[in-house]
Amino acid sequence: MKILLPTDFSNNAKKAIDYAIQCFPNADFTLLHIVYLHQAGSTMIVDINHELVKANQPKINELILQLKQKNPQLKIKGKVDVGFFSQTIIELTQEIEIDLIILGTKGSSGLEEVLIGSNAADVVKNVNKPILIVPHNCEVKCPQHILLSSDFSPESQKKEMNLIDTIRTYFNAQLDLLHVFSSKDKTKDVNYSDLIEKKEVEIHVISSEIIEDAILSYAHEKKYDLITLIPKDRGLIRNLFHHSVTKKLSMHSDIPLLIWK
């Protein structure tokens, strides 16, 4: 399994790295630091980009050294690249066939560093790979109780049949499905008995007009430690990102989010 770990060297990014190593100790990791691309029509700008790469390479090397001291068997390499955040990730995932991207939700504010928290939603929108979002204050542990949010559509049901098996290869955890339906929902009577029988999952159905609030509230109430989404509705994901930083839903911000594409 190949995992990409974008980092800006902040504590929050390091939390995501620790989480990744804890959950996937046998994976092949690539640390990626992206230097923001300076564009201009002069050689000077090219030289600046080159110097920024050189300046940040020792940071990647030092971080790898620290991680290997704690985890001697760790398979990890580092890369510093110049570019725009999501585009650079897209290019690298194609180059080395990444299976999973793991991101922290907050970053540092240095001028030469990428704000991972600000870019997480952009990566979700543009990068066609599974993405695991690790909140800055989550507990570093493998999930034991996973909630898969479903809209109960035929399209989602087909994906879920395969996704459940994949998640179980990733984590030795209980996995439940949640469907939140509103007054406009036309899928309330979808039959999930086949999925329950074949995959041995529990199905939970609740009613709410604000789906993202309901997912987060339910996950917190039932003490799930990972939420999984199939992003057919990008508005839902955008709202989850938005609400996760509001005072109203701040209590939910410690739950990692696996977005499956």
Side-chain angles (χ1 to χ4, degrees):
M1 183 179 186
K2 296 181 179 180
I3 296 178
L4 180 64
L5 301 171
T7 180
D8 62 354
F9 307 111
S10 67
N11 290 332
N12 301 300
K14 290 177 182 177
K15 169 65 76 69
I17 293 170
D18 290 341
Y19 186 95
I21 294 172
Q22 178 71 29
C23 293
F24 305 99
N26 299 316
D28 289 319
F29 294 104
T30 298
L31 283 177
L32 173 66
H33 178 61
I34 302 170
V35 179
Y36 181 75
L37 178 64
H38 292 74
Q39 291 183 312
S42 70
T43 305
M44 181 181 295
I45 298 298
V46 176
D47 291 341
I48 289 174
N49 289 330
H50 179 69
E51 290 301 316
L52 288 174
V53 170
K54 286 178 60 178
N56 283 280
Q57 190 63 53
K59 295 182 182 180
I60 282 282
N61 296 340
E62 176 62 24
L63 180 53
I64 289 175
L65 179 61
Q66 293 173 4
L67 293 171
K68 283 193 171 183
Q69 287 174 341
K70 296 180 181 178
N71 309 274
Q73 305 303 317
L74 189 65
K75 292 176 285 187
I76 189 166
K77 59 186 177 183
K79 181 178 178 61
V80 179
D81 212 340
V82 176
F84 298 106
F85 194 73
S86 60
Q87 183 59 38
T88 302
I89 290 177
I90 290 171
E91 292 172 358
L92 188 58
T93 57
Q94 294 171 345
E95 177 185 335
I96 60 177
E97 298 182 352
I98 290 296
D99 299 300
L100 177 66
I101 301 166
I102 300 182
L103 284 170
T105 55
K106 285 188 178 180
S108 61
S109 57
L111 292 176
E112 297 177 10
E113 297 178 289
V114 174
L115 292 175
I116 286 183
S118 301
N119 284 279
D122 189 47
V123 172
V124 170
K125 179 180 178 181
N126 294 299
V127 180
N128 192 28
K129 291 286 182 179
I131 301 163
L132 178 57
I133 305 295
V134 179
H136 69 284
N137 60 340
C138 79
E139 184 178 354
V140 177
K141 67 173 186 176
C142 293
Q144 297 297 311
H145 200 194
I146 299 172
L147 184 65
L148 172 57
S149 176
S150 172
D151 62 6
F152 275 33
S153 67
E155 176 188 351
S156 295
Q157 191 171 23
K158 291 178 181 179
K159 292 181 179 179
E160 287 155 6
M161 294 291 281
N162 296 323
L163 177 55
I164 288 169
D165 290 336
T166 302
I167 291 176
R168 283 173 171 166
T169 65
Y170 284 1
F171 310 105
N172 181 23
Q174 177 183 338
L175 189 146
D176 301 335
L177 264 67
L178 172 69
H179 175 51
V180 182
F181 69 90
S182 67
S183 58
K184 299 178 181 179
D185 196 343
K186 298 180 180 180
T187 62
K188 289 182 289 186
D189 299 323
V190 172
N191 189 339
Y192 257 60
S193 59
D194 188 50
L195 182 63
I196 295 172
E197 181 179 348
K198 289 183 178 180
K199 300 302 180 182
E200 298 180 351
V201 297
E202 293 186 8
I203 307 292
H204 304 274
V205 181
I206 59 176
S207 175
S208 176
E209 298 304 312
I210 307 176
I211 294 175
E212 59 274 8
D213 284 19
I215 293 171
L216 292 169
S217 296
Y218 187 86
H220 188 266
E221 176 187 349
K222 302 299 182 181
K223 301 186 184 303
Y224 287 94
D225 42 26
L226 180 67
I227 300 171
T228 303
L229 298 174
I230 299 174
K232 188 176 71 172
D233 180 0
R234 299 204 182 277
L236 170 61
I237 293 178
R238 182 177 61 251
N239 289 338
L240 282 169
F241 273 99
H242 171 71
H243 286 299
S244 68
V245 296
T246 63
K247 182 176 180 180
K248 177 183 176 184
L249 291 175
S250 61
M251 64 180 178
H252 301 297
S253 62
D254 60 347
I255 305 176
L257 182 64
L258 176 59
I259 301 163
W260 196 267
K261 295 187 176 184

